[in-house]
Amino acid sequence: MELLKQKIREVGVVLSDEVVKLDAILNHVVDPVLTTTMGREFARLYRDENVTKILTIESSGIPIAFAAAQELNVPLVFARRKKSLNTETETYCERVPSFTKGIVTDIMVSKEFLHEKDRVVLIDDFIANGDAARGLIRIIQRSGATLLGLGIAVEKSFQAGGRTIRESGVRVESLVKIVSLAGGEIRFE
C-alpha cells in the first residue's frame, strides 16, 4: 500500500535494527485519512468471506480495526489488557509477551462477545514476533469461532511472526512489509 509506505518514510523513526517508531501515524496519533484507507483495504481483502466480527487488541490496533469493521458493517471486539472492576468473569484469557513493551500481559475477551458462529478477522497495527496474534488466535480457537485471517498494517518480515503464522495455515494480509531497519534505513519488500 503506497500511501502507508509514503507515510512511514515521512514519519518513521528507526530506533534500532528491530524497532521503528510510527507514533505519528499509528501508535500515538491517528491519521484519519490513512486509517480509513487501511480499513477499506482490509475490508476489500476480506469482503467475500462473510465476516461477522473484527477482533483486535487494545490499543493501537483499534482505529484500523474500527475502520475495517465500519466498512464491513460488523462489530469490532477488542481484547483488553487490564482487568477492571466491571470486567466479565467469563473471559477467554491468554498471557502474551509484548515485543516493543518488553513485558508479558494478559489479554482477555468476554465470552459474551465471541461465539462459535462467528467468522472473525483479526486486525492489528504491527506484527513482529507474532506473540499477540498467536494469543488472539488461541482465544478465537477456544471460542469455537472461525478465524478467516489476519490483517496487519505493518509486518516486520525480518522477524518470524508473519511467516510462522502463515506456515501454520492462517491467511495473513499485510499492507506493508518492512524487510530491514539496518543502518537506520527503512527498507520495504
Side-chain angles (χ1 to χ4, degrees), residues 52-79:
T52 63
K53 291 211 173 108
I54 299 292
L55 178 66
T56 193
I57 189 168
E58 67 177 359
S59 62
S60 299
I62 293 174
I64 303 164
F66 175 82
Q70 182 175 34
E71 189 72 21
L72 290 168
N73 195 30
V74 299
L76 163 64
V77 177
F78 62 90

CSV table of all heavy atoms in Angstrom, one decimal, residues 52-79:
chain,number,residue,atom,x,y,z
A,52,THR,N,-18.2,-11.8,10.4
A,52,THR,CA,-19.2,-11.4,11.3
A,52,THR,C,-18.6,-10.5,12.4
A,52,THR,O,-19.4,-9.7,13.1
A,52,THR,CB,-19.9,-12.6,12.0
A,52,THR,OG1,-19.0,-13.3,12.7
A,52,THR,CG2,-20.6,-13.4,10.9
A,53,LYS,N,-17.3,-10.6,12.6
A,53,LYS,CA,-16.7,-9.7,13.7
A,53,LYS,C,-15.2,-9.4,13.3
A,53,LYS,O,-14.6,-10.3,12.7
A,53,LYS,CB,-16.7,-10.4,15.0
A,53,LYS,CG,-18.0,-10.6,15.6
A,53,LYS,CD,-18.0,-10.5,17.1
A,53,LYS,CE,-19.5,-10.5,17.6
A,53,LYS,NZ,-19.9,-11.7,18.2
A,54,ILE,N,-14.8,-8.3,13.7
A,54,ILE,CA,-13.4,-7.9,13.6
A,54,ILE,C,-12.9,-8.0,15.1
A,54,ILE,O,-13.5,-7.5,16.0
A,54,ILE,CB,-13.2,-6.5,13.1
A,54,ILE,CG1,-13.7,-6.3,11.6
A,54,ILE,CG2,-11.7,-6.1,13.1
A,54,ILE,CD1,-13.0,-7.1,10.6
A,55,LEU,N,-11.7,-8.5,15.2
A,55,LEU,CA,-11.1,-8.6,16.6
A,55,LEU,C,-9.7,-8.0,16.5
A,55,LEU,O,-9.0,-8.1,15.6
A,55,LEU,CB,-10.9,-10.1,17.0
A,55,LEU,CG,-10.2,-10.4,18.3
A,55,LEU,CD1,-11.1,-9.9,19.5
A,55,LEU,CD2,-10.0,-11.9,18.5
A,56,THR,N,-9.4,-7.2,17.6
A,56,THR,CA,-8.1,-6.6,17.7
A,56,THR,C,-7.7,-6.6,19.2
A,56,THR,O,-8.4,-7.2,20.0
A,56,THR,CB,-8.0,-5.2,17.1
A,56,THR,OG1,-6.6,-4.8,17.0
A,56,THR,CG2,-8.8,-4.2,17.9
A,57,ILE,N,-6.6,-6.0,19.5
A,57,ILE,CA,-6.1,-5.9,20.8
A,57,ILE,C,-5.9,-4.4,21.2
A,57,ILE,O,-5.5,-3.7,20.3
A,57,ILE,CB,-4.8,-6.7,21.0
A,57,ILE,CG1,-4.4,-6.8,22.4
A,57,ILE,CG2,-3.7,-6.2,20.1
A,57,ILE,CD1,-3.3,-7.9,22.7
A,58,GLU,N,-6.2,-4.0,22.4
A,58,GLU,CA,-6.0,-2.6,22.7
A,58,GLU,C,-4.5,-2.3,22.8
A,58,GLU,O,-3.7,-3.2,23.1
A,58,GLU,CB,-6.8,-2.2,24.0
A,58,GLU,CG,-6.2,-2.8,25.3
A,58,GLU,CD,-7.0,-2.4,26.5
A,58,GLU,OE1,-7.9,-1.5,26.4
A,58,GLU,OE2,-6.6,-2.8,27.6
A,59,SER,N,-4.1,-1.2,22.4
A,59,SER,CA,-4.9,-0.1,22.0
A,59,SER,C,-4.6,0.4,20.5
A,59,SER,O,-5.5,0.9,19.8
A,59,SER,CB,-4.7,1.1,22.9
A,59,SER,OG,-3.4,1.5,22.9
A,60,SER,N,-3.4,0.2,20.0
A,60,SER,CA,-3.1,0.8,18.7
A,60,SER,C,-3.8,0.1,17.6
A,60,SER,O,-3.9,0.8,16.5
A,60,SER,CB,-1.5,0.7,18.5
A,60,SER,OG,-0.9,1.4,19.5
A,61,GLY,N,-4.3,-1.1,17.7
A,61,GLY,CA,-5.0,-1.7,16.6
A,61,GLY,C,-6.4,-1.2,16.5
A,61,GLY,O,-7.0,-1.5,15.4
A,62,ILE,N,-6.9,-0.6,17.5
A,62,ILE,CA,-8.4,-0.2,17.5
A,62,ILE,C,-8.8,0.7,16.3
A,62,ILE,O,-9.8,0.4,15.6
A,62,ILE,CB,-8.8,0.3,18.8
A,62,ILE,CG1,-8.7,-0.8,19.9
A,62,ILE,CG2,-10.2,0.9,18.8
A,62,ILE,CD1,-9.0,-0.3,21.3
A,63,PRO,N,-8.1,1.8,16.0
A,63,PRO,CA,-8.5,2.6,14.9
A,63,PRO,C,-8.6,1.9,13.6
A,63,PRO,O,-9.6,2.1,12.9
A,63,PRO,CB,-7.5,3.8,14.9
A,63,PRO,CG,-7.0,3.8,16.3
A,63,PRO,CD,-6.9,2.4,16.7
A,64,ILE,N,-7.6,1.1,13.2
A,64,ILE,CA,-7.6,0.4,11.9
A,64,ILE,C,-8.7,-0.6,11.9
A,64,ILE,O,-9.5,-0.8,11.0
A,64,ILE,CB,-6.3,-0.2,11.7
A,64,ILE,CG1,-5.1,0.8,11.7
A,64,ILE,CG2,-6.3,-0.9,10.3
A,64,ILE,CD1,-3.7,0.2,11.8
A,65,ALA,N,-8.8,-1.3,13.0
A,65,ALA,CA,-9.9,-2.4,13.1
A,65,ALA,C,-11.3,-1.7,13.0
A,65,ALA,O,-12.2,-2.3,12.4
A,65,ALA,CB,-9.7,-3.2,14.4
A,66,PHE,N,-11.4,-0.6,13.7
A,66,PHE,CA,-12.7,0.1,13.6
A,66,PHE,C,-13.1,0.5,12.2
A,66,PHE,O,-14.2,0.3,11.7
A,66,PHE,CB,-12.7,1.4,14.5
A,66,PHE,CG,-13.9,2.2,14.4
A,66,PHE,CD1,-15.1,1.8,15.1
A,66,PHE,CD2,-14.0,3.3,13.5
A,66,PHE,CE1,-16.3,2.6,14.9
A,66,PHE,CE2,-15.1,4.0,13.4
A,66,PHE,CZ,-16.3,3.7,14.1
A,67,ALA,N,-12.1,1.0,11.5
A,67,ALA,CA,-12.3,1.4,10.1
A,67,ALA,C,-12.7,0.2,9.2
A,67,ALA,O,-13.6,0.4,8.4
A,67,ALA,CB,-11.0,2.1,9.5
A,68,ALA,N,-12.1,-0.9,9.4
A,68,ALA,CA,-12.4,-2.1,8.7
A,68,ALA,C,-13.8,-2.6,9.1
A,68,ALA,O,-14.6,-3.0,8.2
A,68,ALA,CB,-11.4,-3.2,8.9
A,69,ALA,N,-14.1,-2.6,10.4
A,69,ALA,CA,-15.4,-3.0,10.9
A,69,ALA,C,-16.5,-2.1,10.3
A,69,ALA,O,-17.6,-2.6,9.9
A,69,ALA,CB,-15.5,-3.0,12.4
A,70,GLN,N,-16.3,-0.8,10.3
A,70,GLN,CA,-17.3,0.1,9.8
A,70,GLN,C,-17.5,-0.2,8.3
A,70,GLN,O,-18.7,-0.2,7.8
A,70,GLN,CB,-16.8,1.5,10.0
A,70,GLN,CG,-17.8,2.6,9.5
A,70,GLN,CD,-17.4,4.0,9.8
A,70,GLN,OE1,-16.2,4.3,9.8
A,70,GLN,NE2,-18.4,4.8,10.1
A,71,GLU,N,-16.5,-0.4,7.5
A,71,GLU,CA,-16.6,-0.7,6.1
A,71,GLU,C,-17.3,-2.0,5.8
A,71,GLU,O,-18.1,-2.1,4.9
A,71,GLU,CB,-15.2,-0.7,5.5
A,71,GLU,CG,-15.1,-0.7,4.0
A,71,GLU,CD,-15.5,0.6,3.3
A,71,GLU,OE1,-15.5,1.6,3.9
A,71,GLU,OE2,-15.9,0.5,2.1
A,72,LEU,N,-17.1,-3.0,6.7
A,72,LEU,CA,-17.8,-4.3,6.5
A,72,LEU,C,-19.1,-4.3,7.2
A,72,LEU,O,-19.9,-5.3,7.1
A,72,LEU,CB,-16.9,-5.4,7.1
A,72,LEU,CG,-15.6,-5.7,6.2
A,72,LEU,CD1,-14.7,-6.6,7.0
A,72,LEU,CD2,-16.0,-6.3,4.9
A,73,ASN,N,-19.4,-3.3,8.0
A,73,ASN,CA,-20.7,-3.2,8.8
A,73,ASN,C,-20.8,-4.4,9.7
A,73,ASN,O,-21.9,-5.0,9.8
A,73,ASN,CB,-21.9,-3.1,7.8
A,73,ASN,CG,-23.1,-2.6,8.6
A,73,ASN,OD1,-23.1,-1.9,9.6
A,73,ASN,ND2,-24.3,-3.1,8.1
A,74,VAL,N,-19.8,-4.6,10.5
A,74,VAL,CA,-19.8,-5.7,11.5
A,74,VAL,C,-19.2,-5.1,12.8
A,74,VAL,O,-18.5,-4.1,12.8
A,74,VAL,CB,-18.9,-6.9,11.1
A,74,VAL,CG1,-19.5,-7.5,9.8
A,74,VAL,CG2,-17.5,-6.6,10.9
A,75,PRO,N,-19.5,-5.8,13.9
A,75,PRO,CA,-19.0,-5.3,15.2
A,75,PRO,C,-17.5,-5.5,15.3
A,75,PRO,O,-16.9,-6.4,14.7
A,75,PRO,CB,-19.7,-6.2,16.3
A,75,PRO,CG,-20.8,-6.8,15.6
A,75,PRO,CD,-20.4,-6.9,14.1
A,76,LEU,N,-16.9,-4.6,16.1
A,76,LEU,CA,-15.5,-4.7,16.5
A,76,LEU,C,-15.4,-5.1,17.9
A,76,LEU,O,-16.1,-4.5,18.8
A,76,LEU,CB,-14.8,-3.3,16.3
A,76,LEU,CG,-13.4,-3.1,17.0
A,76,LEU,CD1,-12.4,-4.1,16.5
A,76,LEU,CD2,-13.0,-1.7,16.9
A,77,VAL,N,-14.6,-6.1,18.2
A,77,VAL,CA,-14.3,-6.6,19.5
A,77,VAL,C,-12.9,-6.4,19.8
A,77,VAL,O,-12.0,-6.7,18.9
A,77,VAL,CB,-14.7,-8.1,19.7
A,77,VAL,CG1,-14.4,-8.6,21.1
A,77,VAL,CG2,-16.2,-8.3,19.4
A,78,PHE,N,-12.5,-5.8,20.9
A,78,PHE,CA,-11.1,-5.8,21.2
A,78,PHE,C,-10.7,-6.4,22.5
A,78,PHE,O,-11.5,-6.4,23.5
A,78,PHE,CB,-10.5,-4.3,21.2
A,78,PHE,CG,-11.1,-3.4,22.2
A,78,PHE,CD1,-10.5,-3.2,23.4
A,78,PHE,CD2,-12.2,-2.6,21.9
A,78,PHE,CE1,-11.0,-2.4,24.4
A,78,PHE,CE2,-12.7,-1.7,22.8
A,78,PHE,CZ,-12.1,-1.6,24.0
A,79,ALA,N,-9.6,-7.1,22.5
A,79,ALA,CA,-9.1,-7.8,23.7
A,79,ALA,C,-8.5,-6.7,24.6
A,79,ALA,O,-7.8,-5.8,24.2
A,79,ALA,CB,-8.0,-8.8,23.3
